[in-house]
Amino acid sequence: MPVRPVLAATLGATLGAAALLGALAAPAATAAPAESVTVDATARLAADGTVTLSGTYRCLPGTGPVFVSSSVSQADPRVRHGIGGGAARCDGAEHRWENSGKVSSETLRAGTAHVQANVMELRPGAPLLVPVFHATEDRDITLVGS
């Protein structure tokens, strides 16, 4: 068998396994005492389906880029809608975060919803970036129509 197809198949399997492990990485059960993320008790829901979530975060410097991501669920807790994500500044100080994203206007309604927010670093690893969770918050909130 030629060497090139074998190498390609092996590399593809290795990258696929690394990506799967990264996707399955669970948020850390507890953050370092100096690291946290909060979710505000209310969020905005526009008529066009745009959701705006916000809160605060605090994280320590890492070796890779860090982001604050968020998702919202409502009727079915198994169905989460990703609501934006933004770069985080990890310097030990508390900062505000705000993420916005649009979902189908029929999907979410004003009222109680569940939000998860994560502070996640993409640490250099071989051969891919490895997700490292600095802090996670799960909270029931109120979506308010705007």
Side-chain angles (χ1 to χ4, degrees):
M1 178 177 236
V3 174
R4 185 171 277 160
V6 171
L7 287 175
T10 302
L11 181 59
T14 302
L15 291 175
L20 179 60
L21 287 175
L24 296 176
T30 58
E35 299 189 309
S36 63
V37 63
T38 69
V39 176
D40 291 342
T42 59
R44 292 187 312 271
L45 175 62
D48 69 353
T50 300
V51 177
T52 303
L53 304 171
S54 58
T56 63
Y57 72 91
R58 178 188 316 264
C59 53
L60 300 174
T63 58
V66 181
F67 302 91
V68 178
S69 63
S70 56
S71 63
V72 64
S73 61
Q74 197 167 46
D76 184 347
R78 297 170 299 171
V79 178
R80 291 187 193 175
H81 304 278
I83 305 298
R89 183 176 41 207
C90 291
D91 57 7
E94 185 173 270
H95 300 281
R96 295 276 314 152
W97 66 268
E98 183 176 286
N99 292 340
S100 292
K102 188 173 179 179
V103 297
S104 169
S105 60
E106 297 84 36
T107 303
L108 299 174
R109 300 273 183 237
T112 302
H114 186 79
V115 172
Q116 183 179 77
N118 297 295
V119 177
M120 183 193 66
E121 176 183 356
L122 293 176
R123 225 173 249 170
L128 301 173
L129 296 173
V130 178
V132 176
F133 289 86
H134 288 253
T136 297
E137 171 77 1
D138 281 283
R139 179 173 188 183
D140 288 333
I141 58 112
T142 302
L143 286 175
V144 177
S146 58

